[in-house]
């Protein structure tokens, strides 16, 4: 059975667009409006997507069902497994008391919650995004901040805001690689163009992040540190993406910004140490504590699990390592009924293109497996036995079971809308904006990430459409395709998958609607900032769009 997507089944693009958006309205209406539990929201929205695909868009039920199951299988291995393993490592650290020592060691750098936010959520989170991506930064940094003493709500919401600027090069540059593949444009040019958009927003996000937690006066008090974080990260991001490669942009940016900021804080501290209202004031203005409470060896041992985690996810993300593991262990299956059975049509693509549906069961090279092995090795080195490690994992699994269901159904929803063409219908609505398309095309990428939870998936979905539309409007296709990825990063904080990951990692399950309402306008505003930057490149600085760069991939 084969089936070709249709993008205006009702003969009126406005009505077709509204119907295509019905699963999203159901998802966020139940989540933010009626405050249902996230797994029930995901189940209801996925059911709506299948119903709309079959009854309105004419997709055969067998294909709709296969798309949904494909998404669920993808979600379990690629996303939920990462979150489960990251929370498992956190639980091991808490169970063994190592997190208490980590808290003290961070307080020796600074006891100021604003500066801890910058170090953990932005700098450390950028490194994890570059190494692993796909929800790992929100889960790991969110759990880390809980351990430091942040309120669960702050840990969840603020990590969602922080996990924006680095996303375009997440998981060793996977979104850029995908964008180049689907658009047919040079990867070096695309990476460089993204690297001329996002560093500008990277200067803003650290300030925005702190301001989201405290007032204006408290934000200005740490402005020097904010400038150091933003400048060091953005400058590294720009230089690496334009002159080195598209693989290690975020890893380099995260490491440089973290090191530079820690060194800076050795010579500078804010006029007063800011803590939450219910916390006791820090004992010293520089945030230092009794150096004799823990030895250097104890501090190194406490940080060891996260050091092992960082090295493991970095190694697991390297193309050479991943490729070697996959060649020897990974079976690749064609999804029954679905592989090649759905055809994308104009104007989404220039010519009819069958959609592949191949499931690579890369259980060993999956990022979640790297996180899980890091947790096991860390637990053994700390002194836990196999039986105790198994007990901790069982408790983690019980605590995360509903989150796994929610994440899996979210991916089932995303895959159903993709193969049914519902998201393409929503995307086509943006192409009707004429000369303002550079601005709204940026929000097309935002929409793709909000729908799928992944900048990689958004680029795969809309990369070709961006190029086709750009050529029709006589705009630069490199700029518009890069705008899809750059705009997509600001949609990361509102996609239901990321919100579910954030709440699961910070024990906030049930508060998804409140967090969504909190971050939504941050997402829209930052997306508009990126859209304005793209608009300036399109009509004021078109000569700044790169062509013909030859940096290493």
């Amino acid at each position: 059975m084969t089936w070709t997507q249709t993008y205006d089944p009702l003969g009126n693009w406005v009505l077709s667009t509204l119907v295509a958006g019905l699963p999203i309205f159901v998802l966020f209406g139940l989540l933010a409006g009626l405050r249902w539990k996230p797994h029930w929201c995901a189940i209801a929205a996925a059911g709506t997507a299948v119903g709309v695909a079959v009854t309105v868009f004419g997709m055969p039920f067998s294909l709709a069902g296969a798309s949904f199951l494909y998404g669920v299988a993808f979600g379990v291995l690629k996303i939920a497994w990462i979150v489960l393993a990251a929370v498992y490592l956190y639980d091991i650290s808490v169970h063994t008391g190592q997190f208490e020592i980590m808290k003290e060691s961070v307080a020796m750098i600074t006891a100021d919650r604003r500066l801890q936010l910058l170090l953990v959520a932005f700098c450390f989170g950028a490194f994890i995004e570059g190494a692993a991506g796909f929800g790992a930064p929100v889960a790991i940094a969110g759990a880390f901040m809980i351990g430091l003493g942040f309120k669960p709500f702050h840990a969840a919401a603020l990590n969602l805001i922080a996990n924006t600027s680095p996303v375009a090069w997440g998981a060793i540059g996977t979104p850029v690689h995908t964008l180049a593949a689907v658009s047919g444009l040079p990867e070096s040019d695309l990476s460089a163009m993204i690297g001329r958009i996002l560093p500008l927003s990277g200067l803003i996000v650290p300030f925005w992040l702190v301001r989201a937690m405290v007032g204006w006066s408290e934000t200005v008090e740490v402005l020097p540190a904010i400038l150091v974080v933003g400048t060091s990260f953005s400058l590294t991001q720009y230089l690496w993406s334009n002159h080195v490669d598209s693989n290690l942009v975020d890893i380099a940016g995260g490491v440089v910004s973290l090191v530079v900021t820690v060194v800076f804080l050795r010579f500078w501290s804010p006029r007063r140490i800011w803590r939450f209202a219910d916390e006791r004031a820090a004992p010293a203005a520089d945030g230092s504590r009794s150096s004799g409470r823990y030895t250097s060896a104890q501090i190194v041992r406490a940080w060891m699990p996260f050091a092992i985690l960082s090295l493991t996810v970095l190694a697991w993300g390297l193309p050479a390592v991943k490729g070697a593991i996959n060649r020897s262990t990974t079976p690749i299956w064609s999804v029954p009924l679905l592989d090649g059975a759905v055809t994308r049509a104009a104007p989404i693509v220039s010519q009819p293109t069958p959609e592949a549906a191949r499931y690579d069961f890369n259980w060993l090279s999956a990022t979640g497996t790297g996180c899980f092995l890091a947790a096991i090795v860390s637990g053994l080195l700390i002194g836990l036995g196999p039986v105790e490690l198994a007990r901790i994992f069982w408790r983690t699994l019980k605590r995360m079971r509903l989150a796994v269901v929610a994440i899996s159904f979210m991916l089932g929803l995303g895959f159903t809308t993709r193969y049914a063409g519902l998201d393409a219908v929503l995307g086509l609505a943006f192409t009707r904006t004429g000369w303002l398309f550079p601005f709204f095309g940026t929000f097309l990428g935002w929409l793709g990430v909000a729908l799928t939870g992944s900048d990689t998936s958004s680029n795969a979905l809309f990369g070709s459409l961006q190029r086709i539309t750009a050529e029709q409007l006589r705009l630069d296709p490199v700029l518009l395709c890069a705008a899809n990825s750059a705009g997509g990063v600001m949609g990361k904080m509102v996609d239901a998958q990321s919100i579910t990951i954030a709440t699961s990692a910070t024990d906030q399950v049930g508060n998804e609607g409140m967090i969504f309402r909190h971050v939504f306008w941050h997402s829209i505003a930052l997306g508009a900032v990126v859209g304005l930057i793209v608009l300036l490149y399109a009509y004021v600085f078109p000569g700044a769009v790169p062509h013909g760069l030859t940096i290493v991939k």
Side-chain angles (χ1 to χ4, degrees), residues 372-443:
F372 182 76
L373 289 177
I376 294 294
V377 171
S378 298
L380 293 174
L381 291 176
I382 290 173
L384 296 177
V387 174
E388 189 64 25
L389 285 171
R391 287 174 180 166
I392 297 172
F393 182 72
W394 178 246
R395 290 198 297 268
T396 302
L397 188 61
K398 288 197 297 183
R399 179 159 65 93
M400 297 291 292
R401 65 188 186 281
L402 294 180
V404 171
V405 172
I407 292 169
S408 301
F409 273 77
M410 296 291 185
L411 268 294
L413 164 65
F415 274 55
T416 302
T417 59
R418 170 188 167 188
Y419 282 95
L422 306 185
D423 41 16
V425 175
L426 297 172
L428 285 172
F430 286 88
T431 67
R432 300 176 182 271
T433 54
W435 71 272
L436 285 174
F437 182 70
F439 179 84
F440 287 101
T442 302
F443 272 95

Side-chain angles (χ1 to χ4, degrees), residues 26-27 30-32 35-46 410:
V26 170
L27 175 63
L30 296 178
L31 188 65
R35 303 185 184 184
W36 282 24
K37 292 186 180 298
H39 60 285
W40 289 119
C41 296
I43 292 170
M410 296 291 185

Side-chain angles (χ1 to χ4, degrees), residues 236-255:
T236 304
Q237 197 179 54
Y238 165 76
L239 291 174
W240 204 281
S241 62
N242 277 260
H243 300 288
V244 185
D245 65 23
S246 57
N247 294 327
L248 304 180
V249 176
D250 287 338
I251 292 175
V255 169

Side-chain angles (χ1 to χ4, degrees), residues 92-102 294 302:
I92 289 174
S93 293
V94 172
H95 178 81
T96 56
Q98 302 305 309
F99 234 118
E100 290 299 316
I101 303 176
M102 291 179 66
Y294 297 111

